[in-house]
Amino acid sequence: VVAGVTAATWADFFDVRLSLSPTGAAVVGAFCGVFVGMLAAALAEVLNVFPILAKRLQLGRYLTWLLFAMVLGKVAGSLFDWIWFQRL
């Protein structure tokens, strides 16, 4: 994962372009799809931990606010990225 992130960051910074055949593009697309699917599954597992954590730490009545704060943080971060960094 670290090597992939490093390579993708390097490719983005130096504007590297790959000319792939349709088969090569399909293979790269399949790997990207597998990565996104695994990331989504990992995030779903993290969300499954919150009710258990809230029960053990006796934060049951604050669970809704915790999830709401996470959603607002995600929305704020996405808007910040979209408004600020996409203009650069």
Side-chain angles (χ1 to χ4, degrees), residues 50-85:
F50 283 118
I52 297 167
L53 184 64
K55 184 177 179 183
R56 289 191 180 172
L57 296 177
Q58 296 157 354
L59 298 173
R61 62 186 192 170
Y62 302 114
L63 185 60
T64 303
W65 291 106
L66 176 64
L67 291 175
F68 190 63
M70 290 176 55
V71 168
L72 285 179
K74 181 66 177 172
V75 169
S78 296
L79 285 174
F80 181 74
D81 176 62
W82 182 59
I83 291 170
W84 180 260
F85 285 116

Side-chain angles (χ1 to χ4, degrees), residues 16-39:
V16 175
R17 302 216 183 253
L18 300 174
S19 357
L20 297 173
S21 67
T23 305
V27 170
V28 170
F31 278 115
C32 290
V34 168
F35 176 76
V36 169
M38 293 175 115
L39 183 63

